[in-house]
Each structure stands twice: as C-alpha cells, then as structure tokens.
Amino acid sequence: MKKNLKILQVDEISLVDIIKLLWREKILILSITIICGLAGYLYAPLQHQNYKTEIQLNNPPFNLFEPYNYNLFNNNNNNNNNNNNNNNSINAEFISDFKFNFLSLDNLQSFTEESKKFDNFNEYLKSRKISALQYFKKNIGEVKEKNLIIPNKYFLIFTKELDGDIFLNNYVEFIKSKTVFEAKKKLKSSLVNKIDITENALEKSKIINLEHPIIRTMNQNQVINEPQNLFYKGSKILTQEIYYLKKLLIKLENEQFDYELISEKSLNSLINARTGSLYFQLGLMLGLFLSLGIIFFKGILRNN
C-alpha cells in the first residue's frame, strides 16, 4: 500500500514538473507553432489546386445528312422507313466517330501542342516532366448518367495552369471540325462509288438501245422490234440521276454540316481544394509537435 502511494506521489510530481517545464518553454512552443502555422498558410497558394469542368453536347439533328442518306441508300421514293433508318445509321456513326475522336489521347495531345493559347499549360507539363498523354489519361472522360443511351456530357480535370473551360470549349470545336472532315470524306467516297455504278448502268442501257434488240413472238417466224422509248426512258432517268449525284458531290465540297453542338458551355468548379486555413491548422499541429520534440531532446541532453 505504501509503494502505491509513493508511485502516485512520483507521478503527481512528474506531471507537475512537466506542466512547469511547458510553462517555462511557452515562448519556444508558441514561437515554433506560430511560425509553422504561417508557413503552412503561405504554402497553400503554391499548391496546384484541382478544378473540374463539364460540358453538355447536342447530338446532330437527323436531317443534317438527309440529302446524302436519301440519294446514297434509298432507291425507292416511297420507302420512308428505310430512309429514316439510314438517317439514324449515319447519325449514329457520326456520334460514334465524334466520341472516339473526343476521347482520343492523340487528339488531345495534338490540340494542346498546336494551340498557342495554352503555352502556360505546356510549360507546366515540361516542369512536371510529363507528356499531355500522361496528364489527360486520367483527367478526361464522359459523364455516364442513368437512362442515357448515348452519353453526351464530358468532363476534364485540370490544374490552375490550364484554363479548363476555355480549353474544353475550344477542344469541342476542334473535334467537331475533325469529325465533320472525316464524315465528308466517307460521304464523298460513297457518292463517287454511286456515280460510277450509275454511269456503268447508263453505258449498258445505251448499248442495248443502239443494238435495237428484238422480241420474238410465240410464232418464231414473226419478229417484232422492241420500242426504243423503253430504253430511252431508262437512259434518261439514269442521266438525270448522274447529274444530280454530281451536283450533290459539288454541294458536299462546300457543306459545313453546321449545327449547335454545345448546349451547356463548360464552367469551372474547384474540387479537392486545400485552402489556406487548412494548411494553417496543419502547420500549427506540426509546430506544436516539433516544439515538444525539441523540449524533449533538450531534457535528455540536460540529464546526460
């Protein structure tokens, strides 16, 4: 029982001594704590804060490619269902190509390198010794929402060195131009192919017409000349079709396929922000532990 009392007395004396020691070193503790807190507050603006921007896009209207859909894929003027299906098909292909181009890291890199508006971002990449491919690999994507068949909202996470809203808005127009160029190239190839097929058919109809084919009746001795107007009608229709296809080909060269692509322009929002007050608090805690460590080691050296 006496031993326990002695231990309690020793503990009480030790606690009192610790409090006295901390009070004697109060200037050291406060000085180091405040200095570390201020250092943390001043360090906060130097950190690369992360921002996020999202952009909402419109899909192209179905009638955007309608003249080309109708003349390339529909030979029956009354077949509206096939025409609508072709419209859907071309639009779906355009949307798929746009999405592929938009999320392409190669396109992101080329756009970043070619645009003089983002030289500060290129300098940031050089200072970090990373490429645009490495940066955008995890910082670009599409927002997948419920009941959305074809996602048309995309996001970009960026640092303070990159004006994300300007970047994303300009990048969308860059990808639109690229996708339209590719779509025109495909349509031109289809038109040229359709013209070749129609011209071949026209040549055949002319040959048949010049040959003056004959039809034999049930009586093999009686021969009836085939009326030329039947072949003339086919040749005339084919000639008109070729003329219209070539006219459409010229129209395609100047076609912009312009439509309102952006429904909601991107806006920046700060994410994972570490404010100055947070760094100040962290600095205070670090300063307190540091000052206590210094006092502890001073006590050890004094005892030795």
Side-chain angles (χ1 to χ4, degrees), residues 14 27 38 46 60 70 73 75 147 171 186 192 197 213 227 230 299:
S14 299
I27 296 178
L38 290 174
L46 301 177
Y70 183 81
F73 304 106
N75 295 321
N147 301 325
Y171 180 63
K186 291 179 181 178
V192 171
I197 293 174
L230 294 178

Side-chain angles (χ1 to χ4, degrees), residues 48-86:
H48 299 287
Q49 295 177 332
N50 288 331
Y51 297 81
K52 183 178 182 180
T53 182
E54 291 182 357
I55 192 166
Q56 180 77 33
L57 304 180
N58 292 319
N59 291 330
F62 289 123
N63 62 353
L64 190 66
F65 303 99
E66 186 174 0
Y68 306 95
N69 289 331
Y70 183 81
N71 287 279
L72 289 175
F73 304 106
N74 188 17
N75 295 321
N76 186 354
N77 293 335
N78 297 322
N79 198 341
N80 293 325
N81 292 330
N82 288 338
N83 190 29
N84 291 331
N85 291 334
N86 290 324

Side-chain angles (χ1 to χ4, degrees), residues 204-217:
K204 290 180 180 178
S205 70
K206 287 180 178 179
I207 292 172
I208 294 172
N209 191 25
L210 292 174
E211 288 293 333
H212 297 290
I214 58 177
I215 297 178
R216 294 183 181 274
T217 61

Side-chain angles (χ1 to χ4, degrees), residues 161-176:
E161 287 78 5
L162 175 63
D163 297 324
D165 54 342
I166 300 174
F167 182 96
L168 201 54
N169 290 329
N170 291 356
Y171 180 63
V172 165
E173 295 299 331
F174 170 78
I175 293 300
K176 178 186 176 184

Side-chain angles (χ1 to χ4, degrees), residues 20-50:
K20 289 180 179 180
L21 176 63
L22 294 177
W23 179 253
R24 286 197 305 269
E25 300 289 351
K26 62 181 179 293
I27 296 178
L28 175 65
I29 296 173
L30 288 174
S31 299
I32 295 177
T33 303
I34 292 173
I35 290 172
C36 290
L38 290 174
Y41 183 81
L42 295 174
Y43 176 74
L46 301 177
Q47 292 300 296
H48 299 287
Q49 295 177 332
N50 288 331

